[in-house]
Amino acid sequence: MTAGEKLKLLDYGGILLGIGLAGAFDGIVFHQLLQWHSVYMHTHRHGQIVSDGVFHAFTVVALAVSAVMLWRAGHPGGLARGKRLLVSGALLGAGGFNVVEGIVNHHLLQLHHVKQGDPYELLYDLAYLAVSALIFAYGLYLRQGGRAEGRSSDMAR
């Protein structure tokens, strides 16, 4: 496998890893622990749990596929910009997934909200979008070079 092919696997694997990690975090913290952010709220509790289960299955598949891609790519430190692509890809995947999910599901389709029925429902949704956008923006910042000159050579790779 060429270095270019490995970099592509690192890049796409990192993005998919970020999507899977964001989904897993969302599922564990918001869906299960806080019981706020079910995938489909306009149903009975059993339907909410089933919709969350389908979402969790998606995150497991995303994490498994990203693991295979990253394993095939090899150690990111052995490639120029490898670590940077992996970290920035994970941040872009996590932030991008949550921005798209927030805009589409919370605002356009109204499938659910972060804290459904709360008097500050819109503020929770906007905070979710803002944090997600910051994660995505930091991923872009790293992708485009960031402050690599002032950091260790690890992040410059």
Side-chain angles (χ1 to χ4, degrees), residues 111-129:
L111 291 178
H112 64 260
H113 297 279
V114 173
K115 193 170 183 188
Q116 188 87 24
D118 189 89
Y120 300 105
E121 182 177 277
L122 179 60
L123 288 177
Y124 280 98
D125 288 348
L126 293 175
Y128 180 89
L129 281 176

Side-chain angles (χ1 to χ4, degrees), residues 5 7 9 30 33 35-36 39 44 49 53 55-56 61 64 69 71-72 74 89 92 107 110 117 120 124 129 137 141:
E5 292 168 331
L7 285 172
L9 279 173
F30 290 113
L33 296 176
Q35 296 186 8
W36 289 357
V39 174
H44 47 77
I49 292 170
F55 175 73
H56 297 171
V61 169
M69 292 172 79
W71 175 71
R72 290 196 62 224
L92 289 170
H107 300 285
Q110 299 279 315
Y120 300 105
Y124 280 98
L129 281 176
Y141 173 76

Side-chain angles (χ1 to χ4, degrees), residues 63-135:
L63 289 170
V65 171
S66 71
V68 170
M69 292 172 79
L70 295 173
W71 175 71
R72 290 196 62 224
H75 191 281
L79 298 166
R81 298 188 48 227
K83 288 182 182 179
R84 179 175 295 282
L85 276 179
L86 177 59
V87 172
S88 67
L91 293 170
L92 289 170
F97 176 78
N98 283 340
V99 165
V100 170
E101 189 275 331
I103 291 170
V104 172
N105 292 336
H106 303 172
H107 300 285
L108 297 178
L109 300 178
Q110 299 279 315
L111 291 178
H112 64 260
H113 297 279
V114 173
K115 193 170 183 188
Q116 188 87 24
D118 189 89
Y120 300 105
E121 182 177 277
L122 179 60
L123 288 177
Y124 280 98
D125 288 348
L126 293 175
Y128 180 89
L129 281 176
V131 169
S132 300
L134 286 172
I135 292 168

